[in-house]
Amino acid sequence: MSPTTLPDRSVEYDDRIVKQFVIATVIWAMAAMTIGFILALQLAWWPANMGIPQLTFGRLRPVHTNGVIFAFTGNFVFGGIYYSSQRLLKTRMWNDLVSQFHFWGWQAIIVSVVLTLPMGMTQGKEYAEMIWPIDVAIAVVFLSFVLNFAMTIANRRVKHLYVALWFYISFVITIPVLHVVNNLVIPANLWRSYPIYSGMTDALVQWWYGHNAVGFLLTTPILGLMYYFLPRAAERPVYSYRLSIVHFWALVFLYIWAGPHHLLYSALPDWAQTLGMVFSVMLIAPSWGGMLNGLLTLRGAWDKVRTDPVLKFMAVAVSFYGMSTFEGPMMSIRAVSALSHYTNWVVGHVHSGALGWVGMMGFGTLYWLTPRLWKREIYSLQLATAHFWLATIGVVLYTVAMWGAGLTEGLMWRAVDANGQLQYPIFLDIVAQMQPFYWVRLLGGGLYVVGVYMMAFNLTMTITSAPVSSPEPSPAK
């Protein structure tokens, strides 16, 4: 079955909610990535924090990470799911009011995070810094989306569930479980709480959550969007539907066990560390199966890739997915982790996935969706193509710079002299060697952020331009 099947025109889909999430995605992309640029500047040139506590790296860094994960990616994922699910299920979303509650509740949560984290209100957990009242709000709002999505599936007008929906289902089920379990706390007051876990148990639960938040928010729903939007943009069926099913089941079974690889060489029992390492290495197989399925879907459509910026973004996104899902398992091997852990190599790996896979897939989807939602031709194909090249060059510069910085750090930390003593015992001597890499990272990140602003301008001009007669304008025209 191909997602290119035309929708039933007798169904009036709720595209208002999709438009809202598209607009929010663009706004939060600019905000989150601008903060990322400021943080990169602070690392290269420390006076950039201007001595203001709320603008220091430690305060702004979680605003950036949560902004990219939950504001930019979250809104992009929700918008893509609302658009594609209605068309795959041939039915309108179950309840428009619940959809609106989901949208406005999610935006209110993001604003509350932006206000509280710079003030130092945090519970100090990676990707879960939000204080407990916000955590409660996240659970309530996300569960409203779960209800809406589940009831829409129950009311569907087609029996078959296309593979993209299975990836969405894994996201819808797993994320609230991860969020609730990791954030079980005892409140002390409105701003502070104590986790019910302690010591290594707390660390294990945190990285079970942390790694699977990457797996089931930054990976599985976006793969579902890939399986829907890439064939639609290429006007080609999925290369292998059977492979997509194998990809789904293998990925969701293996991913959930990989979290302990963040705790290698810690007090975590060796068997748990080995479990995380082994399942991480096995993840290469389904991940590369999905990557190849995406790229091979473009067979017979590579001529379109030359002219269509949507396909350019998506092709590069899938390529970065393959690279990141090879690099991550390799870094989970104990010998490699001993060199790479706590270094900027990890930063490079994370951003190759976040900027290369998630970001590029998001941009391609936005460029595909906007003309169709507002029934307008894209304002400027040339501007979209320029954005593609800025983003591609930017993420490559960023990633390569962090690889170099990480390898330099790791090797210098481990270097010993003829007497077996540390060759670089003064830590600041190693930090000083990072400066050139930080400036290259700033350049790459700057190019990427400029591309985001170009996209915002292009999509704004598209939305405000005169509508065209065709209900399905093609950005390749």
Side-chain angles (χ1 to χ4, degrees), residues 20-148:
Q20 289 173 301
F21 275 114
V22 165
I23 293 171
T25 300
V26 175
I27 293 172
W28 290 119
M30 290 189 291
M33 294 179 190
T34 298
I35 294 173
F37 177 80
I38 294 171
L39 294 172
L41 177 61
Q42 289 182 1
L43 287 176
W45 184 60
W46 66 265
N49 62 35
M50 297 181 289
I52 302 173
Q54 290 75 21
L55 298 183
T56 55
F57 187 90
R59 298 285 183 91
L60 283 186
R61 191 261 182 180
V63 178
H64 166 63
T65 55
N66 285 284
V68 170
I69 295 171
F70 298 107
F72 166 61
T73 306
N75 279 292
F76 146 55
V77 164
F78 290 135
I81 289 177
Y82 274 112
Y83 182 89
S84 58
S85 295
Q86 294 182 85
R87 285 152 177 83
L88 290 171
L89 299 170
K90 302 293 188 292
T91 187
R92 190 182 180 90
M93 293 304 297
W94 174 64
N95 190 293
D96 291 358
L97 289 178
V98 175
S99 298
Q100 290 300 311
F101 174 78
H102 173 209
F103 174 78
W104 290 110
W106 198 253
Q107 309 318 308
I109 287 167
I110 296 168
V111 171
S112 67
V113 171
V114 172
L115 293 176
T116 55
L117 288 180
M119 302 304 294
M121 300 176 187
T122 174
Q123 61 179 3
K125 290 188 172 184
E126 186 80 6
Y127 311 139
E129 292 89 352
M130 290 73 77
I131 56 178
W132 72 266
I134 300 177
D135 285 334
V136 173
I138 291 173
V140 171
V141 172
F142 198 94
L143 287 174
S144 72
F145 168 64
V146 173
L147 173 65
N148 207 6

Side-chain angles (χ1 to χ4, degrees), residues 135 139 143 175-185 197 208-209:
D135 285 334
L143 287 174
I175 289 299
V177 174
L178 294 169
H179 173 74
V180 170
V181 172
N182 189 50
N183 290 290
L184 291 174
V185 298
Y197 315 106
W208 168 79
Y209 158 86

Side-chain angles (χ1 to χ4, degrees), residues 247 283-293 321-323 325-326:
H247 177 202
L283 270 171
I284 294 176
S287 299
W288 274 50
M291 175 199 66
L292 292 173
N293 209 5
Y321 171 65
M323 183 188 75
T325 53
F326 175 80

Side-chain angles (χ1 to χ4, degrees), residues 29-30 33-34 37 64 68 72 313 316-317 320 351-363 386-399 441-455:
M30 290 189 291
M33 294 179 190
T34 298
F37 177 80
H64 166 63
V68 170
F72 166 61
F313 277 109
V316 169
F320 267 101
H351 283 80
S352 71
L355 302 181
W357 159 235
V358 178
M360 301 293 261
M361 194 68 200
F363 301 149
H387 175 201
F388 165 77
W389 287 111
L390 282 177
T392 302
I393 295 170
V395 71
V396 169
L397 284 174
Y398 191 115
T399 304
R441 187 250 299 272
L442 181 67
L443 173 61
L447 293 175
Y448 199 90
V449 173
V450 169
V452 171
Y453 278 86
M454 289 171 60
M455 177 189 71

